[in-house]
Amino acid sequence: MPENNTIKRHSFQPGAMSIIQMGEQLIGHPSTAINELVKNGYDADALSCKVYFSSSVNSSESFVIVYDNGSGMSYKTLFGDWLKPSVSSKRKADSKSAIYERNQLGSKGIGRLAAMALGENVTVITRETKTTDYNWITVNREAFKEEVLLSAIDFPGDKISDYTSLFSEEDILKERKTNVNNRLLNFLKIAGLDTFKKGTLIIIESLDDSVLKILKEEHNQLELPGQSEPYENTSFYKALATLITPLNLNNEIQKELQEKKLINDKKEIATSKSKFSIDYGTNLLPDQDENEIEWLPVEPVPIQSAYDYRIYGKVSKDGDVSGYISYKRLENDIKEESFGLLQSDFRDKNESQANLFADTEVNETGEYYFDIRIYDIGEKDNLEKLAKESKLKSAAEFRSVFKNFQGMRISKNGFGVKPYGDEVEDWIELSKARVQNPGRNVNTNQILGYVFFYSPENDNLEEKTNREGFLENKAFQQVKATMKEIFSFLGKKRYNYRLLHGLGRVPTSKHERPDFEEYMSRLHHLDATPAIISYSEKFMREVTTSMDNIEESLSFSERLASLGSGIELVYHEMAQPISGLRTTKSSLDLKRSKINSDALDNFLKDITTLNYATDVLSELRKSLQPAIGRSRSKKFTPYNTFLKVCNLYKSDIDDYKISIVADQRLEKYEIADLEYAFWIAFLNIINNAVYWIKKSESPGEIRFCIEGDSLIISNSGPFINEELIDLIFNYGVTTRSEKNATGLGLAFTQSILSRNGWNISAENRKDGPSFIIKKEKNG
């Protein structure tokens, strides 16, 4: 034992860097930081909040403001609890706001650090209704990077009557370690935020380059026909929209569950007078008057009244599910039916579920609700119906709106919880189930849905420290397991409904064809007229021929896909042996001085052969390069692509004395497109040219030139049969006599060029057959 039987007590002394770690490293995407500041305004009983981004090429002029008209903070609060990271008065289970009795959203006390993840200087200006002065403080993030204890760091702050002087008076600017920002002062004046009666204004100056990059790239998105406004697709706007969407839905779902007698009392998240709205603004919006601020209301995610199927209800504290499933897929068959799932039933059929829901334990999550809408999004006629019901202009517009907000989301106390439905789209693993059985399962891209949680009943669902989702504790695992069962039940019901009404792909096998014999027998049985029977027989022959062609083209496409995979494998595998050969040559070069004169000639001959073989392999690898990474458009020179393809036929070209003649003007001719499409086109055209020149048994030539805006590949081989020249791009048309000739190469060439906005045609010219590749006029 220590002397005098005493043991000393010690404590941690946090370093200044701990604030940086908490502020920057605990907050994920910058939009999460903004959401945290907005939620603080909601907790302070604000009725509205404004968020504004000002971007600039000069980062020192950039800023973000978040203003809420809530209760504001007293001098004691700002310079007391606000300066104590991780201290929160909202952590009590029954914590409510003072005026509107709102369930508190913040609980970890780190929301105040979120702003430091955005920029260098953070200024908080706050005022209570009963005071005349504003309380303010400026926190400079750079101070926390010093190797000192946190207690040694301090910042300027006090009371002030006119807070705009914080950004203009030299003495205060020096204390705040910043410079005059005229952009900010001008904004505060124009926006009417140079004074306010109550609330909190947070200003973040000198934004991080990462934030500025996100703003610039996302606001530079093109506005496309049938799509929503570009700003609505930005991560900051979408995060705010996702945040507030469940506020109204929370009341709607509980009202329905009350009417259906599934619940007795609503879980109130605030008083009836509680309203909350967010306005978004940025100087990056096009066509803005520099002396006006365009505030854009943040609209909730449009959960459509239009849907094809809907499943909604509650999960009880025992883990049992009860609810309703609605059908609106067909206008003449709208109906709704109740359903129930016992936790004991789906526990018994799944071992992992059994461990989550042991007999001796209750559902740790507590009671919660769900509302999920499902859409047959892949059927055009249905999209048009959904667009009409949603009062949107077109199927394309509906698809665009739907794509922006599809997914399965989570709400807690009326606000959306990131990242579910956005960054983490498939948190219930629906895709995995769909792969195993596509017809009987839905995917995330067919859903608009929410799960609703509340405090204090669902507080076993614990948010991660970085406010990006829930910890994977037992409560959350139970939620995921239960939702999987709900979706499994829904998938089966939807599958049966679609099967009953002949919706979607009816055949059970991709090789199954309609029974034409049974159809003809049925026509005879119904005493159809000879004209109808004759027409039906003709039509069925055409259908059979078309299906044969499709099967053949699919078979060819599968072969091409396999070939593509093989080429990619060969391309990558060739790199190592080529490198090894070059290393070997270098090594042999170093050793040749040690070879005796009798063997030297043979040794040098072997090195030359080795060098030649290595160069041939290297050139072959370069020739295969355009077939790799074929999904990217980029600038390339068709002249080089043509020569790469010719190099693949080097052996035949040399053996049969075929000359390659290329227009020198093409050496500097570039286009921005998919090189792979041209590589495939050149491959098929040159393959045909080599084949027919070889057949002619005399030397020939393959020519590549440019005429106006057309690329011409011609050869000196035999003319194309004039009766077939207009058909050679059709599937199955070929004049080759070999058994393995498919007639699909040129068809595939036309298809891939057409998909990229190019036309290809053929004609016989004086010097031989020619293929003309030209950009489509509307391309």
Side-chain angles (χ1 to χ4, degrees):
M1 291 288 291
E3 292 182 15
N4 302 324
N5 294 328
T6 60
I7 298 176
K8 293 181 179 180
R9 310 292 295 179
H10 304 275
S11 61
F12 281 106
Q13 296 294 316
M17 184 61 74
S18 63
I19 291 293
I20 295 290
Q21 293 166 339
M22 292 172 70
E24 289 186 340
Q25 297 177 19
L26 295 182
I27 294 295
H29 191 277
S31 61
T32 303
I34 294 295
N35 279 17
E36 285 302 303
L37 299 178
V38 171
K39 288 197 288 187
N40 283 344
Y42 177 84
D43 286 344
D45 282 319
L47 294 178
S48 70
C49 186
K50 294 181 183 295
V51 177
Y52 189 89
F53 289 88
S54 181
S55 177
S56 173
V57 292
N58 182 356
S59 62
S60 65
E61 294 182 343
S62 62
F63 62 87
V64 174
I65 71 101
V66 179
Y67 167 71
D68 71 75
N69 63 355
S71 300
M73 286 182 279
S74 67
Y75 189 93
K76 180 181 178 181
T77 300
L78 179 62
F79 300 110
D81 285 351
W82 192 89
L83 289 174
K84 298 174 184 176
S86 296
V87 172
S88 175
S89 61
K90 310 171 190 175
R91 195 167 281 122
K92 298 177 183 178
D94 58 351
S95 178
K96 298 273 188 180
S97 67
I99 301 174
Y100 299 116
E101 299 178 17
R102 292 170 173 169
N103 283 3
Q104 299 286 272
L105 303 175
S107 63
K108 297 186 182 298
I110 66 165
R112 68 204 66 170
L113 305 180
M116 295 182 200
L118 300 177
E120 186 175 315
N121 278 304
V122 178
T123 300
V124 179
I125 303 159
T126 186
R127 179 184 180 185
E128 294 180 294
T129 309
K130 59 188 177 185
T131 62
T132 54
D133 290 336
Y134 301 90
N135 303 314
W136 71 275
I137 188 171
T138 292
V139 177
N140 186 296
R141 188 177 60 189
E142 297 304 304
F144 295 113
K145 296 180 180 178
E146 296 181 26
E147 290 294 335
V148 296
L149 293 180
L150 184 57
S151 57
I153 304 294
D154 56 29
F155 300 99
D158 203 351
K159 292 181 179 181
I160 198 166
S161 58
D162 177 12
Y163 63 79
T164 60
S165 59
L166 298 174
F167 309 98
S168 59
E169 291 189 9
E170 189 173 337
D171 291 344
I172 302 179
L173 288 170
K174 188 175 180 180
E175 285 286 337
R176 294 178 57 243
K177 295 183 179 179
T178 187
N179 298 310
V180 175
N181 189 337
N182 290 317
R183 276 175 172 251
L184 174 58
L185 288 166
N186 190 51
F187 164 80
L188 291 173
K189 182 178 179 181
I190 295 171
L193 288 175
D194 49 354
T195 180
F196 56 88
K197 292 183 178 179
K198 70 180 181 75
T200 299
L201 174 65
I202 297 176
I203 300 173
I204 304 110
E205 300 170 88
S206 298
L207 301 183
D208 281 0
D209 289 342
S210 59
V211 176
L212 292 172
K213 182 179 179 183
I214 292 171
L215 286 168
K216 183 178 178 181
E217 289 180 352
E218 294 188 340
H219 279 281
N220 280 344
Q221 297 175 88
L222 293 177
E223 186 173 354
L224 300 175
Q227 294 194 358
S228 52
E229 294 280 356
Y231 72 84
E232 294 179 356
N233 298 324
T234 63
S235 54
F236 289 105
Y237 182 93
K238 283 177 66 175
L240 292 170
T242 304
L243 178 70
I244 66 167
T245 291
L247 273 177
N248 291 331
L249 298 177
N250 154 74
N251 289 322
E252 292 172 10
I253 183 62
Q254 292 197 78
K255 183 180 178 182
E256 281 192 84
L257 295 180
Q258 273 187 313
E259 291 172 352
K260 301 288 186 182
K261 302 191 183 305
L262 289 177
I263 62 173
N264 295 321
D265 301 312
K266 290 173 66 176
K267 300 180 190 295
E268 298 291 352
I269 61 172
T271 65
S272 58
K273 293 182 179 179
S274 173
K275 307 292 180 186
F276 189 70
S277 63
I278 304 174
D279 289 319
Y280 175 84
T282 174
N283 67 329
L284 293 173
L285 292 174
D287 304 322
Q288 272 193 114
D289 188 320
E290 60 181 18
N291 293 316
E292 289 184 10
I293 304 296
E294 185 178 353
W295 291 108
L296 305 164
V298 177
E299 301 291 349
V301 174
I303 297 291
Q304 308 289 344
S305 56
Y307 57 84
D308 294 319
Y309 318 90
R310 180 188 177 206
I311 190 166
Y312 63 100
K314 77 167 185 179
V315 179
S316 73
K317 62 183 180 181
D318 298 319
D320 298 332
V321 182
S322 54
Y324 286 82
I325 182 167
S326 303
Y327 303 86
K328 285 177 61 178
R329 175 63 177 83
L330 300 174
E331 295 179 7
N332 59 353
D333 188 41
I334 297 175
K335 60 183 181 180
E336 183 173 80
E337 58 190 42
S338 62
F339 75 95
L341 302 172
L342 295 177
Q343 177 249 105
S344 56
D345 289 343
F346 59 76
R347 180 192 66 197
D348 292 341
K349 70 179 182 181
N350 189 312
E351 186 177 343
S352 62
Q353 309 267 79
N355 295 328
L356 283 173
F357 296 97
D359 289 331
T360 56
E361 295 187 42
V362 297
N363 176 23
E364 292 194 11
T365 316
E367 182 179 287
Y368 57 95
Y369 314 134
F370 58 92
D371 186 0
I372 307 160
R373 291 158 169 83
I374 302 90
Y375 302 79
D376 288 343
I377 207 72
E379 294 155 18
K380 186 176 179 182
D381 61 327
N382 188 52
L383 279 176
E384 291 170 350
K385 180 204 80 171
L386 291 168
K388 183 179 178 182
E389 291 177 10
S390 307
K391 297 180 181 177
L392 297 174
K393 296 176 183 177
S394 64
E397 186 176 358
F398 178 86
R399 183 184 284 278
S400 173
V401 171
F402 181 85
K403 188 177 180 180
N404 270 335
F405 299 108
Q406 66 192 24
M408 191 67 202
R409 303 177 187 275
I410 290 178
S411 157
K412 179 82 181 285
N413 292 326
F415 277 77
V417 177
K418 290 184 69 176
Y420 306 109
D422 287 317
E423 293 93 333
V424 180
E425 296 179 359
D426 194 13
W427 56 278
I428 310 174
E429 297 181 330
L430 298 179
S431 298
K432 183 177 178 181
R434 186 168 173 81
V435 167
Q436 294 170 349
N437 197 334
R440 297 177 186 269
N441 292 285
V442 296
N443 209 342
T444 53
N445 61 1
Q446 298 173 279
I447 301 167
L448 288 176
Y450 267 95
V451 186
F452 298 88
F453 299 119
Y454 303 90
S455 292
E457 183 161 5
N458 304 133
D459 281 348
N460 279 340
L461 294 172
E462 187 176 354
E463 282 191 74
K464 295 177 183 177
T465 307
N466 66 358
R467 314 312 294 271
E468 296 271 349
F470 294 114
L471 294 173
E472 288 286 330
N473 60 14
K474 191 167 186 177
F476 191 54
Q477 289 177 30
Q478 287 178 340
V479 169
K480 293 200 290 187
T482 303
M483 294 309 300
K484 285 180 183 178
E485 290 301 321
I486 291 171
F487 274 105
S488 176
F489 169 79
L490 165 68
K492 292 171 186 173
K493 298 290 286 186
R494 174 178 171 269
Y495 176 81
N496 293 339
Y497 183 86
R498 288 171 61 79
L499 200 62
L500 177 65
H501 294 281
L503 298 170
R505 301 184 183 99
V506 177
T508 56
S509 167
K510 65 180 180 180
H511 300 294
E512 184 178 327
R513 294 192 181 193
D515 190 340
F516 289 145
E517 289 186 8
E518 192 276 336
Y519 177 71
M520 291 304 300
S521 174
R522 185 69 174 165
L523 284 181
H524 285 293
H525 179 73
L526 294 173
D527 295 326
T529 64
I532 290 176
I533 291 174
S534 176
Y535 180 81
S536 297
E537 288 175 340
K538 176 178 177 293
F539 179 73
M540 284 187 286
R541 283 195 299 272
E542 292 174 351
V543 170
T544 301
T545 302
S546 295
M547 294 183 76
D548 287 341
N549 289 339
I550 289 171
E551 281 194 6
E552 196 170 2
S553 65
L554 283 173
S555 174
F556 180 68
S557 296
E558 288 170 355
R559 285 166 55 199
L560 282 176
S562 300
L563 175 63
S565 299
I567 287 174
E568 190 161 352
L569 180 63
V570 169
Y571 177 81
H572 291 297
E573 290 298 319
M574 286 172 76
Q576 189 171 352
I578 288 172
S579 177
L581 287 169
R582 291 199 186 283
T583 302
T584 301
K585 179 189 176 296
S586 298
S587 176
L588 291 174
D589 279 337
L590 291 172
K591 295 172 184 174
R592 67 182 178 182
S593 61
K594 300 177 182 180
I595 305 297
N596 63 56
S597 57
D598 294 337
L600 185 58
D601 287 344
N602 289 331
F603 184 82
L604 291 176
K605 188 182 295 183
D606 289 343
I607 290 180
T608 301
T609 302
L610 175 64
N611 192 36
Y612 172 77
T614 304
D615 288 343
V616 169
L617 282 172
S618 182
E619 287 302 311
L620 178 59
R621 187 170 187 266
K622 289 178 183 177
S623 297
L624 294 175
Q625 192 276 330
I628 312 301
R630 52 187 174 270
S631 62
R632 262 190 341 268
S633 290
K634 62 176 184 178
K635 274 191 175 182
F636 71 96
T637 308
Y639 174 86
N640 292 334
T641 309
F642 173 79
L643 294 181
K644 288 175 184 176
V645 173
C646 288
N647 192 52
L648 296 174
Y649 294 91
K650 182 174 175 55
S651 179
D652 278 342
I653 287 172
D654 290 345
D655 291 346
Y656 289 87
K657 296 179 172 58
I658 301 172
S659 301
I660 304 299
V661 181
D663 190 335
Q664 296 302 305
R665 292 177 299 166
L666 282 164
E667 289 184 23
K668 296 183 180 180
Y669 178 75
E670 286 187 333
I671 59 176
D673 216 303
L674 198 66
E675 186 179 11
Y676 172 70
F678 285 80
W679 187 84
I680 286 290
F682 294 165
L683 188 72
N684 282 300
I685 294 169
I686 293 169
N687 178 60
N688 277 335
V690 170
Y691 173 85
W692 288 111
I693 291 173
K694 284 168 62 177
K695 281 283 186 182
S696 68
E697 297 183 351
S698 60
E701 64 180 20
I702 299 172
R703 302 173 288 266
F704 185 36
C705 67
I706 185 169
E707 293 179 3
D709 57 354
S710 299
L711 299 174
I712 315 293
I713 300 178
S714 60
N715 67 81
S716 60
F719 289 143
I720 302 169
N721 188 322
E722 287 292 344
E723 293 181 357
L724 296 177
I725 198 165
D726 292 331
L727 303 174
I728 61 171
F729 295 105
N730 290 358
Y731 283 108
V733 175
T734 182
T735 55
R736 292 191 183 189
S737 56
E738 288 82 2
K739 185 177 180 180
N740 62 352
T742 62
L744 297 177
L746 290 178
F748 186 60
T749 294
Q750 185 187 57
S751 174
I752 195 168
L753 286 174
S754 178
R755 286 202 303 272
N756 287 278
W758 293 81
N759 283 322
I760 183 169
S761 58
E763 61 183 46
N764 288 318
R765 296 185 174 182
K766 289 181 181 180
D767 54 358
S770 300
F771 292 85
I772 300 98
I773 300 172
K774 186 176 182 179
K775 189 72 174 175
E776 292 177 355
K777 290 183 179 179
N778 59 347

